[in-house]
Amino acid sequence: MKRHGNLWPELVSFPNLLEAARRAAAGKHSRPDIARFLMNLETGLFALQRELTAGSYQPGGYRTFRVEDPKPRMISAAPFRDRVAHHALTQILEPIFERRFTAESFACRKGLGTHRALERARRGAKKHRFVLKCDVRKYFPSIDHAILRGLLENVIKCRRTLDLAERIITGSNPQEPALFYFPGDDLFTPEERRRGLPLGNQTSQFFANVYLNPLDHFVSRRLKPAVYVRYVDDFLLFGDSKAELNRMRDEVEDFLCRFRLKLHPRKSRVYRTTEGTTFLGWRVFPNHSLLVRGNVVRFRRRMRQLQVEHARGEIDLRGVEQRVRAWIAHAAHGNTWRLRTQLFGQFAFRRGCVV
């Protein structure tokens, strides 16, 4: 396929930066740093445009914090003007790479997402006896900067666009340790190679899809399982032969070594579809799907918090309803009617008291 050049003029154009600011601020206008930037939006965007054009743009420092639910992770928040630059870059690159992505990759892609991925997993579970569930070990901390740059350069030849991508990648803050050895490494190789992308960046989500796109093509064209579905670093291969799926697991493991990635040894194995397969917060069976326990526990916790906030007058019933409806829309994608009925029967919202 041809490589794409002359992208820079469109990337730094004011309309592209304005749209990038709109997307970066979506749903967050009340945050102080974003509100300040939006108050002087035109001035801020022209300043960013000048820095990008002059080649003097440098990403700022990240604000990091840890979340423990559903699992311990370090989240990194870039300054808002950097998030505008991130969106400006991905708005140009995503349409180019979208044509190269396969139909089996569902994360952070327009018209796809978690529910479409779950639908595909359900079809696989309904039609086939076995599923190979795979999980890449410490995926974001393991993404190798040199390999990622090479994947971008295979498609993009606009030097200034690549330089901006490089600046964002290199500006990534340190991530949790992911020291793995691969064939050909010496004692110091894992320490010498830069790796890791921050969770929370728009660019990290996009780069994560670019990084595993070769895997999607390898699985679809070479291994050819009956059904394949990937969402970030979790992916499923369905078939009717346990031995064949185990062989595919070995081939996937060997292929991922080229990208300095490892499968999680305990989370990557073959199951009978009748046992149910955990995927994207659901337990997927051939004829039904159930929310995993952790999802329900988190929702109960959130409902109790909403009760407290409503009792104190910090949120009205309309605000409660908006938050609850989002969860209902998600839960309605499985067999959860009885669960939803039980849950909502446990909570009452009254001013001044928590029931």
Side-chain angles (χ1 to χ4, degrees):
M1 289 188 178
K2 71 171 185 176
R3 296 169 70 217
H4 292 256
N6 197 33
L7 305 175
W8 189 248
E10 183 181 359
L11 195 156
V12 298
S13 68
F14 191 82
N16 188 53
L17 294 176
L18 183 62
E19 175 62 13
R22 185 191 69 79
R23 292 188 181 186
K28 305 170 187 173
H29 290 77
S30 61
R31 288 179 46 174
D33 58 329
I34 297 176
R36 282 194 300 271
F37 192 96
L38 296 179
M39 282 181 63
N40 299 285
L41 179 61
E42 188 172 300
T43 301
L45 292 182
F46 276 126
L48 179 60
Q49 184 185 50
R50 285 193 300 272
E51 289 182 28
L52 290 168
T53 303
S56 61
Y57 167 77
Q58 291 292 341
Y62 286 90
R63 177 177 60 86
T64 62
F65 55 95
R66 290 190 66 82
V67 297
E68 303 296 329
D69 203 3
K71 62 182 180 180
R73 292 177 298 167
M74 185 176 80
I75 305 298
S76 303
F80 182 71
R81 73 191 304 269
D82 288 345
R83 279 175 267 164
V84 174
H86 298 168
H87 279 270
L89 176 66
T90 56
Q91 284 167 186
I92 300 302
L93 295 186
E94 278 180 345
I96 295 171
F97 278 88
E98 183 63 30
R99 296 191 289 272
R100 290 163 169 78
F101 291 158
T102 73
E104 292 81 14
S105 169
F106 287 82
C108 306
R109 296 178 65 190
K110 188 175 181 180
L112 297 176
T114 56
H115 297 141
R116 293 286 296 275
L118 283 166
E119 182 183 332
R120 187 177 182 88
R122 290 188 189 109
R123 289 202 302 269
K126 190 175 185 65
K127 294 181 179 180
H128 302 284
R129 296 174 58 205
F130 297 100
V131 56
L132 167 60
K133 174 178 169 55
C134 292
D135 178 272
V136 178
R137 191 174 181 186
K138 294 187 176 181
Y139 178 48
F140 280 88
S142 297
I143 292 176
D144 187 274
H145 291 187
I147 294 173
L148 175 58
R149 287 195 299 269
L151 292 171
L152 294 172
E153 290 169 0
N154 288 342
V155 178
I156 304 300
K157 63 180 179 181
C158 177
R159 188 68 258 165
R160 300 196 73 180
T161 299
L162 289 170
D163 286 345
L164 176 59
E166 161 74 9
R167 202 160 286 190
I168 293 170
I169 294 167
T170 303
S172 299
N173 57 334
Q175 302 297 300
E176 63 175 297
L179 293 174
F180 303 130
Y181 286 87
F182 297 89
D185 285 358
D186 60 31
L187 181 63
F188 304 104
T189 301
E191 288 286 359
E192 293 170 346
R193 299 185 69 97
R194 284 292 307 276
R195 64 192 174 278
L197 295 180
L199 278 172
N201 268 10
Q202 164 73 13
T203 46
S204 296
Q205 297 170 3
F206 169 68
F207 291 149
N209 275 341
V210 171
Y211 204 82
L212 282 182
N213 186 46
L215 171 69
D216 297 335
H217 286 277
F218 173 75
V219 172
S220 300
R221 296 176 181 180
R222 291 280 301 278
L223 301 185
K224 298 181 179 179
V227 176
Y228 171 56
V229 52
R230 179 176 68 82
Y231 196 95
V232 194
D233 58 329
D234 292 330
F235 51 98
L236 307 175
L237 289 74
F238 290 88
D240 293 305
S241 167
K242 185 175 183 178
E244 185 69 7
L245 288 175
N246 276 318
R247 180 190 64 79
M248 291 182 185
R249 184 196 185 282
D250 293 340
E251 293 201 36
V252 165
E253 197 159 33
D254 288 343
F255 184 84
L256 288 176
C257 279
R258 305 179 198 177
F259 299 89
R260 303 189 64 81
L261 297 175
K262 287 186 177 290
L263 291 179
H264 197 293
R266 288 184 288 103
K267 298 180 181 178
S268 303
R269 69 179 188 87
V270 177
Y271 300 84
R272 289 184 178 273
T273 52
T274 52
E275 296 176 31
T277 307
T278 302
F279 187 56
L280 301 180
W282 291 83
R283 191 78 174 167
V284 179
F285 295 87
N287 295 307
H288 67 286
S289 302
L290 302 175
L291 282 168
V292 298
R293 181 178 179 276
N295 195 312
V296 178
V297 169
R298 286 191 296 276
F299 179 70
R300 281 199 175 101
R301 189 180 301 143
R302 180 58 182 144
M303 287 289 285
R304 285 194 290 270
Q305 181 61 34
L306 285 174
Q307 277 187 306
V308 173
E309 292 174 6
H310 180 262
R312 293 173 177 169
E314 297 170 2
I315 186 172
D316 60 15
L317 284 176
R318 180 182 293 274
V320 172
E321 182 181 5
Q322 289 175 344
R323 288 159 174 77
V324 171
R325 281 189 181 278
W327 187 86
I328 292 175
H330 174 66
H333 282 266
N335 303 80
T336 59
W337 172 256
R338 182 178 298 176
L339 170 66
R340 283 178 278 153
T341 302
Q342 291 173 346
L343 280 175
F344 294 128
Q346 297 173 7
F347 298 95
F349 290 84
R350 298 175 186 171
R351 290 291 192 201
C353 67
V354 177
V355 180

